[in-house]
Amino acid sequence: LLLTVGILQDQYDIAHLVRDQYQHFVVDEYQDVSPLQQRLLELWLGDRDSLCVVGDASQTIYSFTGATPDYLLDFRARHPGATVVKLVRDYRSTPQIVHLANGLLSQASGRAAHHRLELVSQHETGPEPRYAEYADEPAEAEGTARHIRDLTASGVPASGIAVLFRTNSQSETYEQALADACVPYQLRGAERFFDRPEVREAGAALRAAARFGRNDPLLDEAHGLSAQVRAVFQAKGWSPQPPAGSGAVRDRWESLAALVRLADDFARARPAATLTDLMTELDERAGAQHAPTVEGVTLASLHAAKGLEWEAVFLVGIYDGMMPIAYARTAEQIEEERRLLYVGVTRARRHLTISWSLSRTPGGHAGRKVSPFLDGLRTAPTKTGQITTRTRVPPGGMERGDTTSPRPRKRTPARCRVCGRTLTDAGAMKLMRCEDCPSDMDEALYERLHAWRADQASRTGQPAYCVFTDKTLIAIAEAVPEQEGELARIPGVGVRKTRRFGAQVLAICAGDERVEGGGDD
């Protein structure tokens, strides 16, 4: 852009050639142009005014790139003869979704808010937006995956569903949950979590530390796995304190912070774990997420979702501190966060779910609160272990007749069936034991199950983890179920997969060699 502006400013003959070739201009998303882009547009136009711009100041979400809605809002001042057409008919979303979107903007402040439009849906009525509160982030991801599976079973194509989050570092939990639920997905606007350059570099640094760290005085002084991971990252310039502002530097920090949290969870589940053990865990997670590109559910940040739409949208992690994000401190920054949520809401055509979790990890302090942007707008959330009615919640609290119990029942933490310790790592919870506790797995049975899974995956043309993940196969080989009920209770199996694969798996567990490597889909 800088070079083009320089050429058009300094080389009149080239500017004349360009203006002669291109006479009429249309600029979309005009609320998000930067001063540099605006200057280029002016140089293209010259002294002409054959220009049409389309924009919505309520969707300005790229101020960190220098974008400003001022050029849109001041357009008539610069072009007094311009015709202004207000586009208020919404042909995308149901009246229920449009009503929520209008409500979000009705609470906004600032210059953009003064120019907001009251949208009018052109669709027939649809379901009310759904609100869901979860005890922790893994439960939120698992619940989202279950609800997505229900939608696909009801006829909504996976390609018509999106899970949208505030930061790219949130994707890993949902990649894992969808993989475990055998739901195909694709990541938009960013690499898969383990494909990101900073994550790959961090993995290489951890792998080197695991191999040669005995000669590193920094690692010698770091006691415990979590401290060692922090020491490795800090040697590469990472700091426990986040950088100010947003953009690429913040995204890199968030990715490494997500790895630190993952290491903390792993260390809690396996106090004696080493860096080598952690790398094995990361490799397994990466393998589960590196499925072939498929037409599936879209995972994307709210910024990457701009301009797109889906039949069903899940807005996840909508708690205070993530929406608005913690580093949004000024009134202008907070209002941009509100607009970002507005963009997310208006991506949905018919189904919209907004969810949040009370803590990051199972059994953690439940100190989070739902985003204040939803105050006075949301219906009562569905809560685990709690009966709710779907009534409108006023700003002051519950309405009369709301049967929501005042306190959700606490989620019972999963405990190791060998030593009794509380489990926090997703893989350990699937095994129902600490990964460093002794296993009573039938090795021969595991090999038979592994061969059967490979054959199933080959014949159905899907990744092996979509049949069962490695940890689920281990859990089956440890439990050696004899009946369908026993098999269904194993984490990662459930009723649906029991119906599909139960007869074959139980036959393999019973030693029937005729099933191995074959069987019906």
Side-chain angles (χ1 to χ4, degrees):
L1 293 179
L2 283 169
L3 287 170
T4 307
V5 166
I7 290 170
L8 296 181
Q9 284 186 159
D10 299 339
Q11 303 293 328
Y12 180 78
D13 56 335
I14 296 178
H16 179 76
L17 182 65
V18 170
R19 290 168 187 157
D20 188 56
Q21 184 173 358
Y22 302 103
Q23 300 176 25
H24 311 286
F25 292 86
V26 178
V27 184
D28 196 13
E29 305 288 3
Y30 193 56
Q31 77 281 351
D32 279 325
V33 298
S34 67
L36 178 60
Q37 292 169 327
Q38 175 65 19
R39 179 59 180 151
L40 179 56
L41 176 62
E42 293 168 352
L43 289 168
W44 275 335
L45 281 167
D47 57 1
R48 298 167 298 173
D49 61 358
S50 183
L51 172 64
C52 173
V53 300
V54 184
D56 180 1
S58 297
Q59 297 191 47
T60 303
I61 59 174
Y62 290 105
S63 66
F64 62 89
T65 67
T68 171
D70 289 345
Y71 301 114
L72 173 66
L73 299 179
D74 295 337
F75 191 80
R76 288 197 75 175
R78 296 196 314 277
H79 303 277
T83 299
V84 176
V85 180
K86 294 185 178 180
L87 306 175
V88 298
R89 296 180 183 179
D90 187 305
Y91 293 92
R92 173 187 297 159
S93 306
T94 63
Q96 287 75 15
I97 293 172
V98 169
H99 177 73
L100 174 58
N102 286 334
L104 278 172
L105 292 188
S106 70
Q107 301 176 358
S109 62
R111 190 181 183 203
H114 294 320
H115 294 267
R116 73 180 184 87
L117 300 177
E118 188 82 12
L119 299 180
V120 180
S121 174
Q122 305 300 298
H123 275 275
E124 295 181 355
T125 187
E128 287 287 341
R130 174 177 173 269
Y131 300 87
E133 182 178 277
Y134 295 91
D136 50 70
E137 289 181 7
E140 183 178 7
E142 292 163 10
T144 299
R146 284 196 302 271
H147 194 52
I148 288 173
R149 204 166 58 192
D150 292 341
L151 279 176
T152 56
S154 70
V156 180
S159 59
I161 302 173
V163 178
L164 307 181
F165 32 77
R166 176 61 182 84
T167 68
N168 285 327
S169 63
Q170 294 171 270
S171 75
E172 196 272 337
T173 303
Y174 291 89
E175 291 176 55
Q176 188 72 41
L178 291 173
D180 286 346
C182 202
V183 175
Y185 69 87
Q186 56 185 341
L187 204 61
R188 182 181 180 87
E191 301 93 344
R192 286 181 171 88
F193 182 79
F194 288 102
D195 280 344
R196 294 173 193 161
E198 64 269 22
V199 174
R200 293 169 69 92
E201 291 170 12
L206 290 174
R207 201 177 305 279
R211 293 180 63 187
F212 310 113
R214 294 176 184 174
N215 300 320
D216 190 333
L218 285 176
L219 291 181
D220 290 340
E221 296 172 4
H223 299 290
L225 178 61
S226 294
Q228 290 176 345
V229 170
R230 283 173 169 79
V232 171
F233 288 178
Q234 286 173 327
K236 297 293 183 181
W238 183 79
S239 167
Q241 298 302 318
S246 56
V249 173
R250 180 74 187 213
D251 288 345
R252 174 183 171 82
W253 185 90
E254 293 282 2
S255 293
L256 296 182
L259 282 177
V260 170
R261 291 194 297 270
L262 194 154
D264 289 344
D265 294 343
F266 188 69
R268 277 194 293 271
R270 298 182 57 182
T274 65
L275 280 174
T276 301
D277 297 328
L278 176 63
M279 291 312 303
T280 301
E281 173 72 10
L282 294 180
D283 287 343
E284 182 171 315
R285 285 174 178 251
Q289 293 178 11
H290 288 177
T293 301
V294 293
E295 187 70 14
V297 173
T298 297
L299 294 177
S301 70
L302 288 165
H303 284 99
K306 183 73 171 65
L308 303 176
E309 60 183 74
W310 294 271
E311 186 72 10
V313 168
F314 291 80
L315 300 179
V316 299
I318 308 300
Y319 62 88
D320 192 7
M322 187 61 73
M323 180 58 66
I325 203 158
Y327 56 76
R329 295 186 175 90
T330 68
E332 290 182 358
Q333 290 171 337
I334 290 174
E335 285 307 312
E336 180 151 336
E337 292 290 300
R338 186 194 305 275
R339 294 194 294 269
L340 192 56
L341 181 57
Y342 171 81
V343 167
V345 167
T346 54
R347 299 310 94 195
R349 290 196 287 261
R350 182 171 177 82
H351 302 280
L352 175 65
T353 297
I354 299 177
S355 66
W356 60 94
S357 56
L358 299 178
S359 68
R360 187 175 67 81
T361 58
H365 174 61
R368 290 177 175 174
K369 295 181 180 179
V370 65
S371 169
F373 294 150
L374 297 176
D375 287 351
L377 299 175
R378 63 181 175 87
T379 55
T382 301
K383 299 184 181 181
T384 304
Q386 187 174 0
I387 301 174
T388 65
T389 56
R390 301 196 57 78
T391 53
R392 175 92 34 204
V393 178
M398 294 183 189
E399 282 188 348
R400 225 179 131 171
D402 190 340
T403 59
T404 305
S405 50
R407 294 182 182 177
R409 290 199 291 269
K410 289 186 177 180
R411 192 183 183 200
T412 303
R415 296 189 179 278
C416 174
R417 56 186 170 82
V418 179
C419 69
R421 283 182 295 187
T422 300
L423 301 176
T424 58
D425 178 73
M429 286 189 281
K430 184 162 289 187
L431 296 174
M432 290 308 295
R433 64 169 174 81
C434 303
E435 295 193 44
D436 56 353
C437 281
S439 170
D440 53 357
M441 181 179 71
D442 183 331
E443 297 281 353
L445 174 57
Y446 175 80
E447 292 301 326
R448 296 199 300 272
L449 289 168
H450 198 277
W452 167 83
R453 183 186 68 170
D455 179 73
Q456 286 289 325
S458 175
R459 290 191 303 106
T460 58
Q462 60 183 344
Y465 70 78
C466 278
V467 181
F468 289 120
T469 64
D470 287 348
K471 280 193 167 62
T472 299
L473 290 185
I474 293 172
I476 294 172
E478 289 183 347
V480 194
E482 297 179 353
Q483 299 177 351
E484 285 192 352
E486 297 173 6
L487 178 62
R489 284 194 292 272
I490 295 175
V493 180
V495 175
R496 186 179 66 89
K497 288 191 176 181
T498 297
R499 289 174 181 164
R500 185 177 183 187
F501 301 121
Q504 298 173 61
V505 172
L506 292 175
I508 294 171
C509 290
D512 188 345
E513 297 183 359
R514 292 173 297 175
V515 183
E516 297 168 32
D520 296 330
D521 177 8

